[in-house]
Amino acid sequence: MSALTGTGHLVRLILRRDRAVLPLWVLLLAVLPVSYAASFATLFPTAAERAAYATGTARSPSVVALLGPVYGDSIGALTAQRGGFLQVIVGLAALLTVIRHTRTEEEAGRRELLGATVLGRYADLTAALLATYAASLLLGLLTAGGLAATGLPAAGSLAYGLSVALVGVVFATVGGLAAQLTETAGGARGIAVGVLGVTFALRLVGDTARDEWPSWLSPLGWAPRIRAYEGERWWVLALPVALTVLLAAVTYPVSARRDIGAGVLPSRRGPGRAGRVLSGPSGLAWRLHRGLLLGWAAGFGLLGATIGGAAEAAGRSVAGNAALEQVMARLGGASGLAEAYLGASLGIAGLAAAGYGIQAALRMRSEEAAGRVEPVLATGVRRSAWLASHLVFALLGPAVVLAVTGLAAGLAYGVSVDDVPGQLPRLLGAGLAQVPAAWLLTGLAVLLYGLLPRLSPTAWAVLAVCVLLGQLGAVLELSQWLLDLSPFTHTPQVLRAGWSATPLLTMTVLAGLFAATGLAAFRRRDVPTT
């Protein structure tokens, strides 16, 4: 029997299991660069306006730190830079997909059952990598085709699309290697996401420093240096290909040397007796959620500082561009362009915080599917207490990360305009104003978990719709009733005078009703659900 026997069957199984999630993130990430190109063409029709934008914003140190360098002021070059952070998301999606279909399967015991059939040693790892590679390449081709359809040069579009695809390929392989190192899916995700964070930090340091050599150590730094639309350097594409081959050459021998269910790194023994913190459901929930909460808070702090640092430059760069002023006013709703930029950026942070809330809420579904809820409920812990302990973090988490974002943005913007005491509370309030909309989506996830747990991941699809409406709605001038489908459309812009708190109260009440209904349904259904 070959070591790859059964790979094709496992690929089909993965595609069937991910028939909703995989197309969702591929299509969503393919549409966004196309929307950026269309918006740049509409908002900056002349070369002079694009040059002013590139000088004022695209070359701002804060923007470069977040998105990467810009190598020209053409529509293609600006689009390539604007889509720079999307490559981080592509890498994250790719590594999580591979870990889900390798280490998570082993941890749940399903890999051992499959291994009892006619299945080669490398079949599961190869199937997960092939499926994710194919999704990444499809994403790259769809992105390239969409950009070319907007009128951008085909060569530059292909170069940008391939750069996106190869980022996914590299980090899919990173996820495959991380899955061999630990016994738990959480540990593998921690290692892989940590590698992604280090590569982003290297890219950030290299792009903002005079000497760019740290960027050449990072796969995220290679992508912009292909210089799509500005004299493509095709040879740079060989770097991620070579790194993928090298990582795969390490991953497969490591996979062959370990037992199924075990990791290369030895697991650390825990204490013989649990501490007082773990004496109740709240302590257990804190143990499960603390890493996620602290990681998101740190990332949102960096995001807030970047947003605040770039605000003044954003305001200067678009002054006098009537079309952009109109769109920014629609997105941010503030009287000044800098405040419009801050409002729009914090709205995007609100969408991301909703993702954190959904992820924290769906941790309950993961615990139930893994069979860890029944032993807890078999003790004196009530169902309502267990669910409430997780619900605290699902609701508190978005509030914490958005507060951190607002504080960091207020501090950075206050320093840039020499008004920290005045700007800090204003932007803290603007960040917290996004919380009720994030709570509404979190409450929806709790409602689905309580009523129809198998459909609870549908909350991610709802968030994807909100992202599409938020990113494309104003630029494409969609009907207002479509925009109103997103709760973030109803979030008031607190940076301007005359805003009303009624939408915030309404969304908070609805989120509470969703969560309460989910709790009531959970108390009455079977655990685990059949």
Side-chain angles (χ1 to χ4, degrees):
M1 181 177 67
S2 169
L4 298 177
T5 299
T7 299
H9 295 289
L10 288 182
V11 169
R12 289 194 292 272
L13 177 61
I14 290 171
L15 296 178
R16 177 176 175 79
R17 292 182 61 192
D18 283 2
R19 61 186 180 275
V21 176
L22 207 59
L24 183 65
W25 69 261
V26 168
L27 292 176
L28 176 62
L29 295 178
V31 165
L32 288 178
V34 178
S35 72
Y36 299 151
S39 63
F40 278 125
T42 301
L43 302 174
F44 302 102
T46 67
E49 290 174 334
R50 292 194 295 271
Y53 175 83
T55 302
T57 298
R59 293 171 184 163
S60 167
S62 297
V63 175
V64 171
L66 181 63
L67 303 179
V70 62
Y71 292 103
D73 54 21
S74 66
I75 293 176
L78 296 177
T79 300
Q81 191 213 27
R82 183 67 178 83
F85 194 74
L86 290 179
Q87 294 165 354
V88 179
I89 302 175
V90 171
L92 180 63
L95 65 88
L96 291 178
T97 300
V98 171
I99 291 173
R100 175 172 178 260
H101 292 291
T102 52
R103 176 52 63 180
T104 300
E105 293 296 291
E106 288 191 42
E107 189 176 8
R110 292 186 289 268
R111 171 63 179 87
E112 191 170 2
L113 292 176
L114 290 174
T117 64
V118 182
L119 192 68
R121 173 67 183 179
Y122 297 139
D124 61 328
L125 173 61
T126 304
L129 290 175
L130 287 178
T132 311
Y133 289 171
S136 299
L137 291 173
L138 178 60
L139 168 61
L141 292 176
L142 289 175
T143 301
L147 290 173
T150 65
L152 293 179
S157 300
L158 180 60
Y160 178 76
L162 289 177
S163 71
V164 172
L166 290 176
V167 166
V169 168
V170 167
F171 284 101
T173 317
V174 169
L177 177 57
Q180 313 307 315
L181 300 180
T182 68
E183 295 183 358
T184 64
R189 285 191 292 266
I191 292 173
V193 173
V195 172
L196 179 64
V198 170
T199 59
F200 179 78
L202 286 171
R203 201 275 302 157
L204 185 151
V205 171
D207 291 345
T208 55
R210 291 185 177 180
D211 192 346
E212 64 175 16
W213 67 264
S215 295
W216 286 100
L217 302 178
S218 168
L220 297 176
W222 298 336
R225 280 160 181 80
I226 295 173
R227 297 195 178 185
Y229 305 105
E230 294 294 330
E232 293 78 18
R233 298 194 292 187
W234 298 100
W235 64 267
V236 179
L237 293 172
L239 297 177
V241 173
L243 180 58
T244 299
V245 172
L246 177 62
L247 289 172
V250 174
T251 301
Y252 277 90
V254 168
S255 174
R257 290 187 176 92
R258 66 176 183 84
D259 293 330
I260 294 178
V264 174
L265 301 177
S267 58
R268 186 179 61 179
R269 288 188 175 184
R273 296 177 60 87
R276 296 182 61 184
V277 174
L278 294 177
S279 61
S282 298
L284 177 60
W286 164 247
R287 180 70 174 266
L288 294 174
H289 288 273
R290 63 184 181 184
L292 186 67
L293 178 60
L294 295 175
W296 276 74
F300 271 64
L302 177 61
L303 175 64
T306 304
I307 290 171
E312 188 181 12
R316 292 195 308 266
S317 66
V318 300
N321 188 321
L324 186 56
E325 289 180 8
Q326 181 180 1
V327 172
M328 287 294 288
R330 187 177 178 184
L331 288 172
S335 57
L337 290 174
E339 291 183 346
Y341 167 83
L342 289 168
S345 299
L346 290 174
I348 296 174
L351 287 164
Y356 168 84
I358 293 172
Q359 183 180 6
L362 295 186
R363 181 61 188 263
M364 296 183 289
R365 173 60 178 163
S366 300
E367 292 293 298
E368 181 178 344
R372 291 189 286 266
V373 176
E374 291 174 279
V376 174
L377 297 181
T379 65
V381 176
R382 295 175 300 165
R383 288 190 177 202
S384 57
W386 178 83
L387 189 142
S389 65
H390 286 272
L391 189 58
V392 166
F393 290 94
L395 296 177
L396 181 64
V400 169
V401 298
L402 285 171
V404 170
T405 306
L407 286 171
L411 180 61
Y413 182 57
V415 169
S416 66
V417 298
D418 197 22
D419 184 24
V420 173
Q423 299 302 327
L424 195 63
R426 293 181 69 237
L427 290 177
L428 173 61
L432 292 176
Q434 306 296 327
V435 171
W439 277 350
L440 190 59
L441 296 187
T442 302
L444 176 62
V446 176
L447 174 64
L448 291 172
Y449 170 68
L451 287 173
L452 302 167
R454 291 186 177 181
L455 295 181
S456 54
T458 306
W460 289 114
V462 176
L463 176 61
V465 171
C466 293
V467 172
L468 287 174
L469 291 175
Q471 292 292 300
L472 301 178
V475 173
L476 299 180
E477 298 183 355
L478 297 179
S479 299
Q480 188 60 44
W481 70 268
L482 280 174
L483 298 178
D484 289 341
L485 294 176
S486 171
F488 292 91
T489 303
H490 304 282
T491 300
Q493 304 301 330
V494 301
L495 293 178
R496 65 179 180 184
W499 61 275
S500 172
T502 301
L504 300 179
L505 296 175
T506 302
M507 287 188 287
T508 301
V509 170
L510 287 176
L513 289 175
F514 285 169
T517 305
L519 173 59
F522 175 73
R523 294 177 62 185
R524 289 171 173 79
R525 68 170 175 83
D526 292 335
V527 176
T529 187
T530 55

